[in-house]
mmCIF file of all heavy atoms in Angstrom:
data_model
loop_
_atom_site.group_PDB
_atom_site.id
_atom_site.type_symbol
_atom_site.label_atom_id
_atom_site.label_comp_id
_atom_site.label_asym_id
_atom_site.label_seq_id
_atom_site.Cartn_x
_atom_site.Cartn_y
_atom_site.Cartn_z
ATOM 1 N N LEU A 69 64.890 -34.100 30.897
ATOM 2 C CA LEU A 69 63.653 -34.135 31.663
ATOM 3 C C LEU A 69 63.803 -35.030 32.897
ATOM 4 O O LEU A 69 64.128 -36.215 32.785
ATOM 5 C CB LEU A 69 62.517 -34.645 30.782
ATOM 6 C CG LEU A 69 61.115 -34.658 31.393
ATOM 7 C CD1 LEU A 69 60.691 -33.255 31.817
ATOM 8 C CD2 LEU A 69 60.117 -35.241 30.396
ATOM 9 N N ALA A 83 63.599 -38.723 30.931
ATOM 10 C CA ALA A 83 63.826 -38.939 29.500
ATOM 11 C C ALA A 83 65.069 -38.208 29.035
ATOM 12 O O ALA A 83 65.528 -37.249 29.661
ATOM 13 C CB ALA A 83 62.616 -38.472 28.691
ATOM 14 N N ASP A 85 65.335 -36.390 26.399
ATOM 15 C CA ASP A 85 65.040 -35.128 25.726
ATOM 16 C C ASP A 85 65.477 -33.941 26.572
ATOM 17 O O ASP A 85 65.200 -33.879 27.775
ATOM 18 C CB ASP A 85 63.540 -35.010 25.451
ATOM 19 C CG ASP A 85 63.134 -35.672 24.145
ATOM 20 O OD1 ASP A 85 64.023 -35.986 23.339
ATOM 21 O OD2 ASP A 85 61.927 -35.872 23.933
ATOM 22 N N LEU A 97 52.821 -35.460 29.350
ATOM 23 C CA LEU A 97 53.644 -34.264 29.398
ATOM 24 C C LEU A 97 53.736 -33.704 27.983
ATOM 25 O O LEU A 97 53.841 -34.458 27.010
ATOM 26 C CB LEU A 97 55.052 -34.579 29.915
ATOM 27 C CG LEU A 97 55.175 -35.095 31.342
ATOM 28 C CD1 LEU A 97 56.612 -35.485 31.630
ATOM 29 C CD2 LEU A 97 54.690 -34.052 32.345
ATOM 30 N N TYR A 99 55.867 -30.685 25.713
ATOM 31 C CA TYR A 99 57.041 -29.819 25.812
ATOM 32 C C TYR A 99 57.627 -29.580 24.425
ATOM 33 O O TYR A 99 57.312 -30.281 23.457
ATOM 34 C CB TYR A 99 58.106 -30.438 26.720
ATOM 35 C CG TYR A 99 58.563 -31.823 26.307
ATOM 36 C CD1 TYR A 99 59.554 -32.010 25.339
ATOM 37 C CD2 TYR A 99 58.002 -32.962 26.885
ATOM 38 C CE1 TYR A 99 59.963 -33.280 24.955
ATOM 39 C CE2 TYR A 99 58.398 -34.231 26.510
ATOM 40 C CZ TYR A 99 59.385 -34.385 25.553
ATOM 41 O OH TYR A 99 59.787 -35.651 25.163
ATOM 42 N N ARG A 101 61.192 -29.660 22.452
ATOM 43 C CA ARG A 101 62.584 -30.097 22.557
ATOM 44 C C ARG A 101 63.500 -28.891 22.391
ATOM 45 O O ARG A 101 63.244 -28.016 21.570
ATOM 46 C CB ARG A 101 62.897 -31.129 21.481
ATOM 47 C CG ARG A 101 62.354 -32.510 21.791
ATOM 48 C CD ARG A 101 62.646 -33.483 20.676
ATOM 49 N NE ARG A 101 62.293 -34.844 21.055
ATOM 50 C CZ ARG A 101 62.021 -35.811 20.197
ATOM 51 N NH1 ARG A 101 62.059 -35.562 18.895
ATOM 52 N NH2 ARG A 101 61.711 -37.020 20.620
ATOM 53 N N SER A 117 61.158 -30.036 17.938
ATOM 54 C CA SER A 117 59.753 -30.316 17.690
ATOM 55 C C SER A 117 58.904 -30.187 18.947
ATOM 56 O O SER A 117 59.395 -30.172 20.072
ATOM 57 C CB SER A 117 59.603 -31.723 17.115
ATOM 58 O OG SER A 117 60.259 -32.664 17.953
ATOM 59 N N LEU A 118 57.597 -30.115 18.715
ATOM 60 C CA LEU A 118 56.618 -30.114 19.802
ATOM 61 C C LEU A 118 56.235 -31.555 20.100
ATOM 62 O O LEU A 118 55.846 -32.296 19.195
ATOM 63 C CB LEU A 118 55.381 -29.306 19.387
ATOM 64 C CG LEU A 118 54.268 -29.196 20.420
ATOM 65 C CD1 LEU A 118 54.709 -28.321 21.592
ATOM 66 C CD2 LEU A 118 53.003 -28.622 19.775
ATOM 67 N N CYS A 119 56.334 -31.963 21.365
ATOM 68 C CA CYS A 119 56.191 -33.379 21.728
ATOM 69 C C CYS A 119 55.112 -33.595 22.785
ATOM 70 O O CYS A 119 54.828 -32.719 23.594
ATOM 71 C CB CYS A 119 57.514 -33.924 22.285
ATOM 72 S SG CYS A 119 58.907 -33.787 21.143
ATOM 73 N N ARG A 120 54.565 -34.818 22.774
ATOM 74 C CA ARG A 120 53.703 -35.302 23.846
ATOM 75 C C ARG A 120 54.261 -36.624 24.338
ATOM 76 O O ARG A 120 54.486 -37.549 23.558
ATOM 77 C CB ARG A 120 52.278 -35.528 23.335
ATOM 78 C CG ARG A 120 51.264 -35.828 24.455
ATOM 79 C CD ARG A 120 49.990 -36.457 23.903
ATOM 80 N NE ARG A 120 50.162 -37.902 23.681
ATOM 81 C CZ ARG A 120 49.245 -38.677 23.094
ATOM 82 N NH1 ARG A 120 48.125 -38.157 22.636
ATOM 83 N NH2 ARG A 120 49.461 -39.974 22.949
ATOM 84 N N MET A 121 54.496 -36.713 25.645
ATOM 85 C CA MET A 121 55.022 -37.942 26.239
ATOM 86 C C MET A 121 53.984 -38.553 27.174
ATOM 87 O O MET A 121 53.414 -37.871 28.025
ATOM 88 C CB MET A 121 56.308 -37.663 27.030
ATOM 89 C CG MET A 121 56.838 -38.883 27.780
ATOM 90 S SD MET A 121 58.301 -38.517 28.776
ATOM 91 C CE MET A 121 59.503 -38.307 27.472
ATOM 92 N N THR A 122 53.745 -39.842 27.019
ATOM 93 C CA THR A 122 52.860 -40.560 27.925
ATOM 94 C C THR A 122 53.592 -40.829 29.231
ATOM 95 O O THR A 122 54.677 -41.415 29.234
ATOM 96 C CB THR A 122 52.395 -41.883 27.301
ATOM 97 O OG1 THR A 122 51.754 -41.612 26.051
ATOM 98 C CG2 THR A 122 51.425 -42.611 28.211
ATOM 99 N N ASN A 125 54.428 -44.794 30.195
ATOM 100 C CA ASN A 125 55.463 -45.621 29.562
ATOM 101 C C ASN A 125 56.548 -44.830 28.839
ATOM 102 O O ASN A 125 57.439 -45.417 28.236
ATOM 103 C CB ASN A 125 54.826 -46.607 28.573
ATOM 104 C CG ASN A 125 54.010 -45.906 27.491
ATOM 105 O OD1 ASN A 125 54.123 -44.703 27.293
ATOM 106 N ND2 ASN A 125 53.169 -46.667 26.796
ATOM 107 N N GLY A 126 56.466 -43.503 28.885
ATOM 108 C CA GLY A 126 57.500 -42.691 28.258
ATOM 109 C C GLY A 126 57.415 -42.604 26.747
ATOM 110 O O GLY A 126 58.323 -42.069 26.101
ATOM 111 N N LYS A 127 56.322 -43.095 26.164
ATOM 112 C CA LYS A 127 56.182 -43.038 24.713
ATOM 113 C C LYS A 127 55.997 -41.597 24.259
ATOM 114 O O LYS A 127 55.181 -40.855 24.803
ATOM 115 C CB LYS A 127 54.991 -43.878 24.259
ATOM 116 C CG LYS A 127 54.770 -43.873 22.747
ATOM 117 C CD LYS A 127 53.542 -44.671 22.350
ATOM 118 C CE LYS A 127 53.319 -44.626 20.847
ATOM 119 N NZ LYS A 127 52.100 -45.380 20.441
ATOM 120 N N VAL A 128 56.747 -41.194 23.225
ATOM 121 C CA VAL A 128 56.701 -39.835 22.712
ATOM 122 C C VAL A 128 56.099 -39.833 21.314
ATOM 123 O O VAL A 128 56.469 -40.649 20.469
ATOM 124 C CB VAL A 128 58.110 -39.207 22.666
ATOM 125 C CG1 VAL A 128 58.071 -37.835 21.999
ATOM 126 C CG2 VAL A 128 58.690 -39.097 24.070
ATOM 127 N N ILE A 129 55.152 -38.930 21.084
ATOM 128 C CA ILE A 129 54.681 -38.683 19.733
ATOM 129 C C ILE A 129 54.972 -37.229 19.386
ATOM 130 O O ILE A 129 55.014 -36.367 20.275
ATOM 131 C CB ILE A 129 53.183 -38.989 19.552
ATOM 132 C CG1 ILE A 129 52.314 -38.000 20.351
ATOM 133 C CG2 ILE A 129 52.862 -40.410 19.950
ATOM 134 C CD1 ILE A 129 50.834 -38.095 19.999
ATOM 135 N N ILE A 130 55.210 -36.963 18.121
ATOM 136 C CA ILE A 130 55.510 -35.622 17.652
ATOM 137 C C ILE A 130 54.208 -34.945 17.244
ATOM 138 O O ILE A 130 53.514 -35.406 16.340
ATOM 139 C CB ILE A 130 56.481 -35.653 16.452
ATOM 140 C CG1 ILE A 130 57.746 -36.444 16.802
ATOM 141 C CG2 ILE A 130 56.832 -34.233 16.025
ATOM 142 C CD1 ILE A 130 58.546 -35.876 17.933
ATOM 143 N N LEU A 131 53.865 -33.854 17.908
ATOM 144 C CA LEU A 131 52.668 -33.095 17.559
ATOM 145 C C LEU A 131 52.940 -32.143 16.401
ATOM 146 O O LEU A 131 52.036 -31.832 15.627
ATOM 147 C CB LEU A 131 52.161 -32.316 18.774
ATOM 148 C CG LEU A 131 51.722 -33.155 19.979
ATOM 149 C CD1 LEU A 131 51.299 -32.253 21.128
ATOM 150 C CD2 LEU A 131 50.590 -34.098 19.603
#
Side-chain angles (χ1 to χ4, degrees):
L69 184 59
D85 274 346
L97 297 174
Y99 57 84
R101 283 178 172 157
S117 53
L118 181 69
C119 301
R120 189 197 81 186
M121 175 183 288
T122 303
N125 58 15
K127 180 182 179 181
V128 174
I129 67 169
I130 306 298
L131 298 178

